[in-house]
Amino acid sequence: MLRKSPGFTAVAVLTLALGIGANTAIFSVVNALVLRPLPVERPKDLAFFENARYGPSQSFPNYKDLRDRNQTFAGLIGYRMAPIELETDRGAQRIWGYLATGNYFDIFLLTSPP
C-alpha cells in the first residue's frame, strides 16, 4: 500500500520523523533541567527564599541585609531573569538572561563536587 502512494509515504515518514525528533528534543531539555539533580555535591542543602508578600523576589538591599547577617548558611546568592540585548550580525536581539550577584559562582563552587 505504501509503495503505491509514494507521496503519502513521504508525508507519513516525514511526520513521524518530526514528531519523534520534537519529542526527543523536548525530553532532552526536560531531563537536563528538571529530572537530573543539580551538579552540586549536596543539592538538598540548597534553599530558595521568597518574600511571602511579594512572591519569589527580594529587593537587592534586602538581599544584602540577609547576606551580611547570615550565620546559618555557607552563603547567599541572588539572581533574577531579565530581558537583555544581544548584539549579533543581524543587529540587536532581545533575549532572556540571568542577572546574578558577584558571589554566584563562588557559592556553587563551595557545594560542587571536586
Side-chain angles (χ1 to χ4, degrees), residues 83-99:
I84 57 176
E85 299 289 331
L86 175 67
E87 187 68 34
T88 65
D89 55 351
R90 295 177 293 168
Q93 302 277 328
R94 179 158 286 201
I95 61 170
W96 286 96
Y98 276 105
L99 299 176

Side-chain angles (χ1 to χ4, degrees), residues 60-73:
F60 188 70
N62 192 25
Y63 156 75
K64 286 186 357 183
D65 185 48
L66 289 169
R67 181 197 63 197
D68 295 343
R69 295 174 185 237
N70 174 37
Q71 296 180 351
T72 305
F73 300 106

